Amino acid sequence: MTASQTPNTAAELRGAGLRVTAARVALLETVREGDHLGVEAIASGVRDRVGHISLQAVYEALHALTTAGLVRRLEPPGSPVRFEGRVGDNHHHLVCRSCGTVVDVDCAVGHAPCLTASDDRGFAVDEAEVIYWGLCPDCSTEAPTSAP
């Protein structure tokens, strides 16, 4: 982790009302430098930075960071939970049905803004979550395998 990242990350943690620890700094930076990482990959990244950390401590820190709005939790149906550092906007995701790759995509466009439900039934909507499913470029160009 670079010296320029750590003070900014520590200040963000403090600003969110969280205690600053080496593990939380490493975890937040790992999530932000990663690409929709799962818990095991996050734990590995944190261990590379600060040494031993239990999986339970990673889960607890992820919960605190998610609750504070510093990390976003993504749960595509049928896929493991992932975490990302892109927060504070209303972006969506593309998920490959074959390899599980997840990528960001900006808010849906068209006549109706993506925060406007056809019938909000009295809810005060503040977020819309859209997941587009399909095949990524690598998987869509793979030749189908034939049975022998």
Side-chain angles (χ1 to χ4, degrees):
M1 112 181 63
T2 67
S4 64
Q5 288 176 310
T6 304
N8 293 336
T9 305
E12 284 184 79
L13 290 167
R14 277 189 214 92
L18 297 174
R19 190 169 54 93
V20 177
T21 65
R24 282 185 177 167
V25 168
L27 193 145
L28 184 53
E29 291 177 355
T30 297
V31 169
R32 287 183 173 165
E33 291 170 7
D35 189 21
H36 304 95
L37 299 174
V39 175
E40 291 290 339
I42 293 169
S44 177
V46 172
R47 288 179 187 123
D48 289 346
R49 293 169 186 254
V50 297
H52 178 74
I53 185 169
S54 71
L55 202 52
Q56 182 62 35
V58 170
Y59 275 107
E60 289 170 2
L62 284 168
H63 177 74
L65 294 173
T66 302
T67 301
L70 297 175
V71 168
R72 182 175 176 189
R73 181 183 173 112
L74 172 66
E75 297 181 65
S79 297
V81 65
R82 313 266 185 111
F83 293 87
E84 66 179 338
R86 184 176 172 185
V87 296
D89 66 356
N90 193 47
H91 74 280
H92 306 302
H93 297 93
L94 295 160
V95 179
C96 180
R97 290 184 189 279
S98 181
C99 68
T101 295
V102 178
V103 296
D104 292 336
V105 62
D106 288 329
C107 190
V109 296
H111 294 290
C114 60
L115 281 179
T116 304
S118 61
D119 180 1
D120 65 20
R121 302 193 179 210
F123 280 67
V125 177
D126 62 8
E127 181 179 3
E129 186 170 317
V130 175
I131 298 177
Y132 300 95
W133 294 88
L135 295 176
C136 70
D138 289 339
C139 292
S140 64
T141 59
E142 288 180 1
T145 57
S146 57

